[in-house]
Amino acid sequence: MGMRVVQRAMVCAAVVVAAVACGDGNELSEPSRGGSVAVTTTVAAPPILPAPDNSTLVIKTLTVSGGAVPNVPVAIGLMRPCDPARHDIPVGEATESRQWTGTTDGNGTTTFAVPVGCYLFTMRPPPGSSPVPEGMHSAFVSAPGQIVSGVLRFEDPVPPPCTAAAIVDDLDVAPYLAAAHATVSECEGGWAVIVWDVPGDSQRIVVHNPDGWTTYIGFPHDACWTEALADGVPARLQRYFLPC
């Protein structure tokens, strides 16, 4: 009888020791004196910095034949997610994360400093222009320092009818000139020289614009060639101006 009591007491003690050693997962046990404690430290991930703008995207606004179309407002958008190496912008997934805007210069060019990535670019066509309907325009910069070009195209302008009848109709001249015979002696790039067969000096230089033919200057005049050149008068008409 006494032996059984001792055995039962030993079993219970073993159970208590095991319970304390293992625990039920809900208690924090104190470390034994002189022991070490494992400390878990959570290190925050470093922030993801934006890629540097060390590449170049050049946008050009040109006619189909390659002529420059100046003063065109353009915009480019960086699309994410995307794969510039594969030229892949996932439709329905990619959204614009950054945007740049600018205006093309006299050569029909504007330049942007950009990071590596995929881009969509658009423009706001000037009034009276005819952009080529080519849909979505994209460009891909796949490496730092790379220079990439994109082109927005316009239809070539239709040359205006450079006939005396067309010019006279647009100018809405006085009845005596409308009834007289007119001759066009020069015509280039929307500029012309017209003269009427009437007494006096009826010669004038006319220019074509979206509203039709209008008078640029009448004769006699004292206009300088440098000013006329800045206004876009063709070089072949230089002899009609003073050398100043």
Side-chain angles (χ1 to χ4, degrees), residues 24-101:
D24 60 2
N26 297 320
E27 299 90 6
L28 293 176
S29 60
E30 295 184 1
S32 60
R33 294 181 180 179
S36 60
V37 179
V39 178
T40 301
T41 303
T42 301
V43 179
I48 299 176
L49 300 177
D53 297 344
N54 57 4
S55 300
T56 303
L57 179 54
V58 180
I59 302 299
K60 300 179 180 180
T61 48
L62 306 172
T63 64
V64 173
S65 62
V69 181
N71 304 319
V72 180
V74 300
I76 65 172
L78 175 61
M79 308 302 294
R80 290 177 176 166
C82 80
D83 186 347
R86 294 178 179 271
H87 290 195
D88 179 29
I89 303 177
V91 178
E93 299 180 28
T95 57
E96 185 179 274
S97 61
R98 287 181 63 185
Q99 187 182 86
W100 295 256
T101 59

Side-chain angles (χ1 to χ4, degrees), residues 8 31 47 51 88 96 103 119 123 147 164 172 185 208 222 224 230 240:
R8 291 181 61 187
D88 179 29
E96 185 179 274
T103 302
Y119 296 87
M123 65 176 167
I147 301 176
D172 191 24
S185 59
H208 193 273
D222 58 357
C224 294
Y240 294 95

Side-chain angles (χ1 to χ4, degrees), residues 82-143:
C82 80
D83 186 347
R86 294 178 179 271
H87 290 195
D88 179 29
I89 303 177
V91 178
E93 299 180 28
T95 57
E96 185 179 274
S97 61
R98 287 181 63 185
Q99 187 182 86
W100 295 256
T101 59
T103 302
T104 56
D105 59 17
N107 296 318
T109 300
T110 185
T111 302
F112 302 94
V114 298
V116 170
C118 307
Y119 296 87
L120 297 181
F121 56 96
T122 59
M123 65 176 167
R124 189 167 70 248
S129 63
S130 300
V132 177
E134 296 177 314
M136 185 171 60
H137 293 80
S138 59
F140 302 90
V141 180
S142 58

